[in-house]
Amino acid sequence: GAMTSYLYLAMRLVERYASPEIASLCAKVLLIDVSQTAQAPYQVLHTEIDSSDGLINRAQFWMQTHMQKQIDMKLLADYLGVSQRTLIRRFKETLDITPLAYLQSLRIETAKQMLEKSTLPLAEVIEQVGYQDASSFSRLFQRQAGLTPSMYRRKFQSR
């Protein structure tokens, strides 16, 4: 405990002299779990568009702008003018994940931001990120974030 106590002190000082929001952001970036439970909730999923592959960039942008809707990977591949197998292969080569895994990460990261910054009911957050089934969303959220959506909101919501 003593080896890392300076981290918790630093977060408290940032919270006191700056703001709880800045302290929360610092804790996330530095992977500091101020409640000493786990680091998964602080992990920021890589959903930025930064690929050197133009096809993947277009696919990422399209998913980001259409994530509220039901996304069929075959329709996405058709939109991009490639086969579904080519889309999956290019995603794996470029980002080391499948397009579906990228979409799930994108939706979870967006939900995390909404839970932190809004008071929308959980059902509305789930709907806005493109899920219809609350239980499957909650399972996926907990698997990726290490907390249930409501626990995540309590821990990170700006006060």
Side-chain angles (χ1 to χ4, degrees):
M3 287 180 51
T4 59
S5 61
Y6 70 94
L7 295 171
Y8 304 115
L9 174 61
M11 290 304 98
R12 292 292 170 235
L13 292 172
V14 170
E15 185 177 1
R16 182 174 181 185
Y17 293 106
S19 72
E21 293 82 16
I22 292 174
S24 177
L25 181 61
C26 289
K28 282 183 180 181
V29 170
L30 297 172
L31 297 176
I32 300 170
D33 188 357
V34 291
S35 67
Q36 301 177 345
T37 57
Q39 292 180 348
Y42 300 97
Q43 182 180 5
V44 177
L45 306 172
H46 299 287
T47 56
E48 308 88 34
I49 297 176
D50 61 359
S51 165
S52 60
D53 187 325
L55 175 78
I56 299 304
N57 288 342
R58 290 189 352 254
Q60 288 176 293
F61 180 77
W62 193 89
M63 283 191 248
Q64 288 177 1
T65 57
H66 292 85
M67 87 169 120
Q68 300 83 0
K69 302 173 185 159
Q70 189 67 22
I71 295 180
D72 181 332
M73 291 302 151
K74 172 130 179 53
L75 293 175
L76 174 58
D78 290 345
Y79 168 79
L80 295 168
V82 297
S83 71
Q84 190 173 356
R85 288 183 63 177
T86 297
L87 179 64
I88 292 169
R89 180 179 50 77
R90 296 271 290 272
F91 253 86
K92 285 183 177 178
E93 287 173 358
T94 306
L95 302 176
D96 201 29
I97 59 172
T98 65
L100 180 59
Y102 174 83
L103 178 61
Q104 289 173 335
S105 293
L106 175 65
R107 286 175 166 166
I108 295 301
E109 189 61 32
T110 302
K112 286 167 68 175
Q113 292 171 11
M114 292 174 77
L115 291 169
E116 290 176 31
K117 295 179 170 91
S118 78
T119 58
L120 290 173
L122 182 57
E124 195 169 329
V125 170
I126 291 170
E127 184 180 315
Q128 286 191 22
V129 296
Y131 280 89
Q132 285 77 38
D133 182 13
S135 66
S136 68
F137 169 81
S138 293
R139 282 192 306 275
L140 179 63
F141 189 96
Q142 187 164 10
R143 186 172 51 223
Q144 287 195 13
L147 298 169
T148 66
S150 58
M151 290 168 62
Y152 185 90
R153 174 174 266 168
R154 280 193 299 274
K155 185 172 186 120
F156 294 111
Q157 188 172 44
S158 302
R159 291 171 179 83

